[in-house]
mmCIF file of all heavy atoms in Angstrom:
data_model
loop_
_atom_site.group_PDB
_atom_site.id
_atom_site.type_symbol
_atom_site.label_atom_id
_atom_site.label_comp_id
_atom_site.label_asym_id
_atom_site.label_seq_id
_atom_site.Cartn_x
_atom_site.Cartn_y
_atom_site.Cartn_z
ATOM 1 N N THR A 166 33.424 -16.382 18.073
ATOM 2 C CA THR A 166 32.841 -15.521 17.127
ATOM 3 C C THR A 166 31.593 -16.223 16.579
ATOM 4 O O THR A 166 31.512 -17.326 16.297
ATOM 5 C CB THR A 166 33.832 -15.203 15.997
ATOM 6 O OG1 THR A 166 35.050 -14.593 16.519
ATOM 7 C CG2 THR A 166 33.143 -14.187 15.065
ATOM 8 N N VAL A 167 30.574 -15.355 16.478
ATOM 9 C CA VAL A 167 29.301 -15.938 15.987
ATOM 10 C C VAL A 167 29.398 -16.032 14.461
ATOM 11 O O VAL A 167 29.570 -15.024 13.804
ATOM 12 C CB VAL A 167 28.107 -14.982 16.313
ATOM 13 C CG1 VAL A 167 26.812 -15.515 15.749
ATOM 14 C CG2 VAL A 167 27.995 -14.859 17.906
ATOM 15 N N LYS A 168 29.223 -17.176 13.963
ATOM 16 C CA LYS A 168 29.323 -17.437 12.490
ATOM 17 C C LYS A 168 27.957 -17.124 11.926
ATOM 18 O O LYS A 168 27.857 -16.448 10.769
ATOM 19 C CB LYS A 168 29.752 -18.894 12.243
ATOM 20 C CG LYS A 168 29.936 -19.194 10.831
ATOM 21 C CD LYS A 168 30.466 -20.671 10.664
ATOM 22 C CE LYS A 168 30.712 -20.989 9.248
ATOM 23 N NZ LYS A 168 31.162 -22.494 9.072
ATOM 24 N N THR A 169 26.857 -17.681 12.387
ATOM 25 C CA THR A 169 25.586 -17.422 11.819
ATOM 26 C C THR A 169 24.504 -17.272 12.964
ATOM 27 O O THR A 169 24.649 -17.893 13.987
ATOM 28 C CB THR A 169 25.084 -18.619 10.901
ATOM 29 O OG1 THR A 169 25.022 -19.773 11.724
ATOM 30 C CG2 THR A 169 25.965 -18.806 9.749
ATOM 31 N N ALA A 170 23.652 -16.359 12.768
ATOM 32 C CA ALA A 170 22.477 -16.056 13.677
ATOM 33 C C ALA A 170 21.352 -15.577 12.828
ATOM 34 O O ALA A 170 20.956 -14.373 12.837
ATOM 35 C CB ALA A 170 22.891 -15.123 14.740
ATOM 36 N N ASP A 171 20.723 -16.468 12.050
ATOM 37 C CA ASP A 171 19.804 -16.020 11.019
ATOM 38 C C ASP A 171 18.351 -16.094 11.579
ATOM 39 O O ASP A 171 17.632 -17.017 11.306
ATOM 40 C CB ASP A 171 19.954 -16.901 9.751
ATOM 41 C CG ASP A 171 19.033 -16.465 8.616
ATOM 42 O OD1 ASP A 171 18.563 -15.256 8.666
ATOM 43 O OD2 ASP A 171 18.842 -17.236 7.671
ATOM 44 N N PHE A 172 18.024 -15.181 12.435
ATOM 45 C CA PHE A 172 16.687 -15.088 12.937
ATOM 46 C C PHE A 172 16.441 -13.670 13.479
ATOM 47 O O PHE A 172 17.363 -12.945 13.688
ATOM 48 C CB PHE A 172 16.395 -16.055 14.123
ATOM 49 C CG PHE A 172 17.350 -15.991 15.233
ATOM 50 C CD1 PHE A 172 17.067 -15.148 16.347
ATOM 51 C CD2 PHE A 172 18.527 -16.641 15.200
ATOM 52 C CE1 PHE A 172 17.837 -14.972 17.338
ATOM 53 C CE2 PHE A 172 19.445 -16.476 16.294
ATOM 54 C CZ PHE A 172 19.144 -15.701 17.393
ATOM 55 N N GLN A 173 15.136 -13.380 13.644
ATOM 56 C CA GLN A 173 14.767 -12.032 14.189
ATOM 57 C C GLN A 173 13.751 -12.191 15.216
ATOM 58 O O GLN A 173 13.075 -13.274 15.353
ATOM 59 C CB GLN A 173 14.219 -11.109 12.918
ATOM 60 C CG GLN A 173 15.130 -10.873 11.802
ATOM 61 C CD GLN A 173 16.304 -10.037 12.158
ATOM 62 O OE1 GLN A 173 16.281 -9.216 13.086
ATOM 63 N NE2 GLN A 173 17.477 -10.291 11.602
ATOM 64 N N VAL A 174 13.520 -11.104 15.983
ATOM 65 C CA VAL A 174 12.443 -11.093 17.036
ATOM 66 C C VAL A 174 11.114 -11.331 16.349
ATOM 67 O O VAL A 174 10.802 -10.615 15.333
ATOM 68 C CB VAL A 174 12.522 -9.833 17.835
ATOM 69 C CG1 VAL A 174 11.286 -9.722 18.733
ATOM 70 C CG2 VAL A 174 13.815 -9.692 18.640
ATOM 71 N N GLY A 175 10.300 -12.154 16.811
ATOM 72 C CA GLY A 175 9.007 -12.478 16.238
ATOM 73 C C GLY A 175 9.003 -13.682 15.318
ATOM 74 O O GLY A 175 7.845 -14.052 14.941
ATOM 75 N N ASP A 176 10.129 -14.178 14.999
ATOM 76 C CA ASP A 176 10.215 -15.326 14.034
ATOM 77 C C ASP A 176 9.658 -16.601 14.805
ATOM 78 O O ASP A 176 9.898 -16.818 16.001
ATOM 79 C CB ASP A 176 11.684 -15.584 13.632
ATOM 80 C CG ASP A 176 12.093 -14.635 12.559
ATOM 81 O OD1 ASP A 176 11.265 -13.749 12.167
ATOM 82 O OD2 ASP A 176 13.312 -14.658 12.138
ATOM 83 N N LEU A 177 8.973 -17.406 14.011
ATOM 84 C CA LEU A 177 8.477 -18.678 14.506
ATOM 85 C C LEU A 177 9.552 -19.703 14.155
ATOM 86 O O LEU A 177 9.965 -19.837 13.017
ATOM 87 C CB LEU A 177 7.136 -18.977 13.903
ATOM 88 C CG LEU A 177 6.468 -20.363 14.206
ATOM 89 C CD1 LEU A 177 6.143 -20.480 15.693
ATOM 90 C CD2 LEU A 177 5.264 -20.609 13.315
ATOM 91 N N VAL A 178 9.960 -20.527 15.154
ATOM 92 C CA VAL A 178 10.998 -21.528 14.905
ATOM 93 C C VAL A 178 10.498 -22.836 15.419
ATOM 94 O O VAL A 178 9.658 -23.008 16.257
ATOM 95 C CB VAL A 178 12.340 -21.153 15.610
ATOM 96 C CG1 VAL A 178 12.855 -19.891 15.049
ATOM 97 C CG2 VAL A 178 12.114 -21.097 17.150
ATOM 98 N N LYS A 179 10.951 -23.937 14.877
ATOM 99 C CA LYS A 179 10.653 -25.310 15.273
ATOM 100 C C LYS A 179 11.678 -25.929 16.153
ATOM 101 O O LYS A 179 12.928 -25.535 16.035
ATOM 102 C CB LYS A 179 10.390 -26.144 13.966
ATOM 103 C CG LYS A 179 9.377 -25.666 13.013
ATOM 104 C CD LYS A 179 7.913 -25.916 13.665
ATOM 105 C CE LYS A 179 6.865 -25.583 12.750
ATOM 106 N NZ LYS A 179 5.477 -25.717 13.301
ATOM 107 N N ALA A 180 11.212 -26.834 16.909
ATOM 108 C CA ALA A 180 12.238 -27.573 17.772
ATOM 109 C C ALA A 180 13.290 -28.236 16.870
ATOM 110 O O ALA A 180 12.979 -28.892 15.941
ATOM 111 C CB ALA A 180 11.509 -28.627 18.592
ATOM 112 N N GLY A 181 14.572 -28.021 17.179
ATOM 113 C CA GLY A 181 15.723 -28.642 16.489
ATOM 114 C C GLY A 181 16.318 -27.627 15.441
ATOM 115 O O GLY A 181 17.369 -27.947 14.850
ATOM 116 N N ASP A 182 15.625 -26.549 15.146
ATOM 117 C CA ASP A 182 16.172 -25.502 14.283
ATOM 118 C C ASP A 182 17.546 -25.022 14.711
ATOM 119 O O ASP A 182 17.602 -24.674 15.876
ATOM 120 C CB ASP A 182 15.224 -24.462 13.923
ATOM 121 C CG ASP A 182 14.031 -24.822 13.097
ATOM 122 O OD1 ASP A 182 14.041 -25.966 12.625
ATOM 123 O OD2 ASP A 182 13.089 -23.988 12.953
ATOM 124 N N LYS A 183 18.528 -25.035 13.917
ATOM 125 C CA LYS A 183 19.877 -24.485 14.282
ATOM 126 C C LYS A 183 19.833 -22.977 14.216
ATOM 127 O O LYS A 183 19.542 -22.430 13.053
ATOM 128 C CB LYS A 183 20.988 -25.042 13.345
ATOM 129 C CG LYS A 183 22.333 -24.501 13.684
ATOM 130 C CD LYS A 183 22.836 -25.077 15.000
ATOM 131 C CE LYS A 183 23.107 -26.529 14.988
ATOM 132 N NZ LYS A 183 24.272 -26.942 14.088
ATOM 133 N N LEU A 184 19.926 -22.331 15.294
ATOM 134 C CA LEU A 184 19.768 -20.813 15.337
ATOM 135 C C LEU A 184 21.055 -20.095 15.371
ATOM 136 O O LEU A 184 21.248 -19.003 14.813
ATOM 137 C CB LEU A 184 19.021 -20.417 16.544
ATOM 138 C CG LEU A 184 17.503 -21.144 16.599
ATOM 139 C CD1 LEU A 184 16.834 -20.621 17.852
ATOM 140 C CD2 LEU A 184 16.769 -20.709 15.366
ATOM 141 N N VAL A 185 22.077 -20.718 15.976
ATOM 142 C CA VAL A 185 23.360 -20.004 16.172
ATOM 143 C C VAL A 185 24.495 -21.003 15.838
ATOM 144 O O VAL A 185 24.455 -22.094 16.389
ATOM 145 C CB VAL A 185 23.545 -19.386 17.508
ATOM 146 C CG1 VAL A 185 25.009 -18.694 17.668
ATOM 147 C CG2 VAL A 185 22.484 -18.330 17.814
ATOM 148 N N GLU A 186 25.500 -20.574 15.018
ATOM 149 C CA GLU A 186 26.757 -21.332 14.864
ATOM 150 C C GLU A 186 27.925 -20.481 15.202
ATOM 151 O O GLU A 186 27.909 -19.291 15.050
ATOM 152 C CB GLU A 186 26.806 -21.796 13.358
ATOM 153 C CG GLU A 186 25.765 -22.843 12.978
ATOM 154 C CD GLU A 186 25.887 -23.281 11.552
ATOM 155 O OE1 GLU A 186 26.097 -22.400 10.688
ATOM 156 O OE2 GLU A 186 25.714 -24.422 11.213
ATOM 157 N N PHE A 187 29.041 -21.130 15.646
ATOM 158 C CA PHE A 187 30.163 -20.442 16.107
ATOM 159 C C PHE A 187 31.461 -20.808 15.197
ATOM 160 O O PHE A 187 31.631 -21.856 14.735
ATOM 161 C CB PHE A 187 30.598 -20.881 17.603
ATOM 162 C CG PHE A 187 29.459 -20.504 18.526
ATOM 163 C CD1 PHE A 187 28.524 -21.455 18.952
ATOM 164 C CD2 PHE A 187 29.356 -19.182 19.034
ATOM 165 C CE1 PHE A 187 27.532 -21.135 19.849
ATOM 166 C CE2 PHE A 187 28.411 -18.803 19.933
ATOM 167 C CZ PHE A 187 27.466 -19.893 20.353
ATOM 168 N N ASN A 188 32.388 -19.816 15.216
ATOM 169 C CA ASN A 188 33.758 -20.044 14.613
ATOM 170 C C ASN A 188 34.647 -20.453 15.812
ATOM 171 O O ASN A 188 34.813 -19.522 16.657
ATOM 172 C CB ASN A 188 34.135 -18.723 13.925
ATOM 173 C CG ASN A 188 35.462 -18.941 13.169
ATOM 174 O OD1 ASN A 188 36.311 -19.601 13.603
ATOM 175 N ND2 ASN A 188 35.610 -18.297 12.029
ATOM 176 N N LEU A 189 35.260 -21.572 15.776
ATOM 177 C CA LEU A 189 35.996 -22.096 16.983
ATOM 178 C C LEU A 189 37.476 -22.097 16.654
ATOM 179 O O LEU A 189 38.216 -22.815 17.431
ATOM 180 C CB LEU A 189 35.407 -23.569 17.267
ATOM 181 C CG LEU A 189 33.967 -23.617 17.544
ATOM 182 C CD1 LEU A 189 33.569 -25.060 17.654
ATOM 183 C CD2 LEU A 189 33.582 -22.834 18.749
ATOM 184 N N ASP A 190 38.020 -21.378 15.701
ATOM 185 C CA ASP A 190 39.478 -21.478 15.423
ATOM 186 C C ASP A 190 40.254 -21.017 16.648
ATOM 187 O O ASP A 190 41.231 -21.745 17.027
ATOM 188 C CB ASP A 190 39.792 -20.552 14.275
ATOM 189 C CG ASP A 190 39.090 -21.009 12.985
ATOM 190 O OD1 ASP A 190 38.779 -22.261 12.884
ATOM 191 O OD2 ASP A 190 39.102 -20.260 11.925
ATOM 192 N N ASP A 191 39.945 -19.962 17.231
ATOM 193 C CA ASP A 191 40.757 -19.506 18.457
ATOM 194 C C ASP A 191 40.615 -20.518 19.558
ATOM 195 O O ASP A 191 41.618 -20.810 20.289
ATOM 196 C CB ASP A 191 40.217 -18.166 18.918
ATOM 197 C CG ASP A 191 40.542 -17.131 17.902
ATOM 198 O OD1 ASP A 191 41.456 -17.288 17.060
ATOM 199 O OD2 ASP A 191 39.914 -16.019 17.998
ATOM 200 N N LEU A 192 39.480 -21.140 19.819
ATOM 201 C CA LEU A 192 39.313 -21.984 20.929
ATOM 202 C C LEU A 192 40.019 -23.324 20.736
ATOM 203 O O LEU A 192 40.702 -23.863 21.633
ATOM 204 C CB LEU A 192 37.820 -22.358 21.125
ATOM 205 C CG LEU A 192 37.353 -22.921 22.379
ATOM 206 C CD1 LEU A 192 37.656 -21.930 23.538
ATOM 207 C CD2 LEU A 192 35.820 -23.209 22.370
ATOM 208 N N GLU A 193 40.064 -23.748 19.406
ATOM 209 C CA GLU A 193 40.899 -24.990 19.165
ATOM 210 C C GLU A 193 42.392 -24.729 19.307
ATOM 211 O O GLU A 193 43.162 -25.637 19.785
ATOM 212 C CB GLU A 193 40.596 -25.393 17.718
ATOM 213 C CG GLU A 193 39.108 -25.962 17.561
ATOM 214 C CD GLU A 193 38.855 -26.296 16.098
ATOM 215 O OE1 GLU A 193 39.494 -25.796 15.227
ATOM 216 O OE2 GLU A 193 37.868 -27.102 15.936
ATOM 217 N N ALA A 194 42.880 -23.453 19.048
ATOM 218 C CA ALA A 194 44.246 -23.203 19.235
ATOM 219 C C ALA A 194 44.607 -23.204 20.705
ATOM 220 O O ALA A 194 45.572 -23.628 21.191
ATOM 221 C CB ALA A 194 44.566 -21.830 18.669
ATOM 222 N N GLN A 195 43.645 -22.625 21.522
ATOM 223 C CA GLN A 195 43.832 -22.689 23.058
ATOM 224 C C GLN A 195 43.792 -24.044 23.558
ATOM 225 O O GLN A 195 44.584 -24.414 24.514
ATOM 226 C CB GLN A 195 42.618 -21.924 23.657
ATOM 227 C CG GLN A 195 42.755 -20.349 23.407
ATOM 228 C CD GLN A 195 41.512 -19.746 24.034
ATOM 229 O OE1 GLN A 195 40.956 -20.140 25.064
ATOM 230 N NE2 GLN A 195 41.050 -18.563 23.400
ATOM 231 N N ASN A 196 43.040 -24.993 22.921
ATOM 232 C CA ASN A 196 42.998 -26.388 23.328
ATOM 233 C C ASN A 196 44.258 -27.045 23.045
ATOM 234 O O ASN A 196 44.848 -27.810 23.919
ATOM 235 C CB ASN A 196 41.825 -27.078 22.707
ATOM 236 C CG ASN A 196 41.703 -28.511 23.174
ATOM 237 O OD1 ASN A 196 41.601 -28.715 24.408
ATOM 238 N ND2 ASN A 196 41.636 -29.438 22.344
ATOM 239 N N GLN A 197 44.944 -26.898 21.953
ATOM 240 C CA GLN A 197 46.181 -27.417 21.613
ATOM 241 C C GLN A 197 47.307 -26.968 22.599
ATOM 242 O O GLN A 197 48.151 -27.732 23.055
ATOM 243 C CB GLN A 197 46.641 -27.088 20.196
ATOM 244 C CG GLN A 197 45.749 -27.751 19.156
ATOM 245 C CD GLN A 197 46.108 -27.343 17.695
ATOM 246 O OE1 GLN A 197 46.915 -26.440 17.500
ATOM 247 N NE2 GLN A 197 45.423 -27.870 16.737
ATOM 248 N N LYS A 198 47.248 -25.666 22.924
ATOM 249 C CA LYS A 198 48.184 -25.120 23.867
ATOM 250 C C LYS A 198 47.945 -25.781 25.310
ATOM 251 O O LYS A 198 48.956 -26.074 25.960
ATOM 252 C CB LYS A 198 48.026 -23.598 24.044
ATOM 253 C CG LYS A 198 48.997 -22.945 24.963
ATOM 254 C CD LYS A 198 48.757 -21.405 24.959
ATOM 255 C CE LYS A 198 49.671 -20.825 26.027
ATOM 256 N NZ LYS A 198 49.464 -19.284 26.034
ATOM 257 N N ALA A 199 46.746 -25.972 25.615
ATOM 258 C CA ALA A 199 46.412 -26.570 26.949
ATOM 259 C C ALA A 199 46.917 -27.994 27.017
ATOM 260 O O ALA A 199 47.481 -28.524 27.966
ATOM 261 C CB ALA A 199 44.947 -26.480 27.211
ATOM 262 N N GLU A 200 46.859 -28.729 25.850
ATOM 263 C CA GLU A 200 47.394 -30.151 25.767
ATOM 264 C C GLU A 200 48.855 -30.127 26.032
ATOM 265 O O GLU A 200 49.354 -31.018 26.752
ATOM 266 C CB GLU A 200 47.024 -30.721 24.518
ATOM 267 C CG GLU A 200 45.544 -31.064 24.257
ATOM 268 C CD GLU A 200 45.198 -31.571 22.879
ATOM 269 O OE1 GLU A 200 46.130 -31.643 22.116
ATOM 270 O OE2 GLU A 200 44.052 -31.943 22.718
ATOM 271 N N LEU A 201 49.517 -29.179 25.384
ATOM 272 C CA LEU A 201 50.983 -29.190 25.548
ATOM 273 C C LEU A 201 51.356 -28.822 26.994
ATOM 274 O O LEU A 201 52.347 -29.329 27.659
ATOM 275 C CB LEU A 201 51.603 -28.201 24.603
ATOM 276 C CG LEU A 201 51.507 -28.538 23.105
ATOM 277 C CD1 LEU A 201 52.079 -27.397 22.282
ATOM 278 C CD2 LEU A 201 52.247 -29.857 22.840
ATOM 279 N N THR A 202 50.529 -27.910 27.625
ATOM 280 C CA THR A 202 50.772 -27.479 29.006
ATOM 281 C C THR A 202 50.644 -28.673 29.943
ATOM 282 O O THR A 202 51.432 -28.894 30.855
ATOM 283 C CB THR A 202 49.839 -26.364 29.382
ATOM 284 O OG1 THR A 202 50.093 -25.304 28.610
ATOM 285 C CG2 THR A 202 50.108 -25.956 30.826
ATOM 286 N N VAL A 203 49.702 -29.484 29.692
ATOM 287 C CA VAL A 203 49.437 -30.668 30.567
ATOM 288 C C VAL A 203 50.511 -31.607 30.467
ATOM 289 O O VAL A 203 51.029 -32.207 31.389
ATOM 290 C CB VAL A 203 48.053 -31.408 30.089
ATOM 291 C CG1 VAL A 203 47.894 -32.768 30.782
ATOM 292 C CG2 VAL A 203 46.907 -30.578 30.450
ATOM 293 N N LYS A 204 51.024 -31.870 29.127
ATOM 294 C CA LYS A 204 52.092 -32.812 29.005
ATOM 295 C C LYS A 204 53.382 -32.288 29.695
ATOM 296 O O LYS A 204 54.140 -32.989 30.387
ATOM 297 C CB LYS A 204 52.406 -32.934 27.505
ATOM 298 C CG LYS A 204 53.556 -33.965 27.173
ATOM 299 C CD LYS A 204 53.630 -34.234 25.689
ATOM 300 C CE LYS A 204 54.699 -35.201 25.382
ATOM 301 N NZ LYS A 204 54.884 -35.426 23.926
ATOM 302 N N ALA A 205 53.659 -30.981 29.595
ATOM 303 C CA ALA A 205 54.875 -30.402 30.164
ATOM 304 C C ALA A 205 54.745 -30.447 31.715
ATOM 305 O O ALA A 205 55.748 -30.737 32.365
ATOM 306 C CB ALA A 205 55.044 -28.901 29.749
ATOM 307 N N ASN A 206 53.545 -30.117 32.241
ATOM 308 C CA ASN A 206 53.390 -30.219 33.683
ATOM 309 C C ASN A 206 53.570 -31.682 34.203
ATOM 310 O O ASN A 206 54.152 -31.841 35.237
ATOM 311 C CB ASN A 206 51.992 -29.719 34.117
ATOM 312 C CG ASN A 206 51.885 -28.197 34.024
ATOM 313 O OD1 ASN A 206 52.860 -27.525 33.831
ATOM 314 N ND2 ASN A 206 50.677 -27.670 34.061
ATOM 315 N N SER A 207 53.114 -32.628 33.469
ATOM 316 C CA SER A 207 53.244 -33.998 33.824
ATOM 317 C C SER A 207 54.683 -34.462 33.858
ATOM 318 O O SER A 207 55.131 -35.044 34.791
ATOM 319 C CB SER A 207 52.439 -34.916 32.842
ATOM 320 O OG SER A 207 52.582 -36.219 33.160
#
């Protein structure tokens, strides 16, 4: 999920400016499940 995207078409930005940030809660849950799957498969 996009957490922040604070810019518009025509905006002037500098190199290194953070333009988009993500909410990673769901992805981290998937990663924990994948770790358990790897252990069980092993």
Side-chain angles (χ1 to χ4, degrees):
T166 302
V167 177
K168 184 177 180 181
T169 60
D171 188 17
F172 58 89
Q173 300 295 330
V174 172
D176 283 356
L177 178 67
V178 298
K179 297 291 185 181
D182 286 353
K183 181 68 70 66
L184 300 179
V185 178
E186 292 180 319
F187 298 99
N188 186 323
L189 304 173
D190 293 344
D191 292 342
L192 200 61
E193 289 175 342
Q195 293 178 26
N196 185 51
Q197 292 177 355
K198 181 179 178 181
E200 290 178 355
L201 294 175
T202 300
V203 169
K204 184 176 181 180
N206 287 350
S207 177

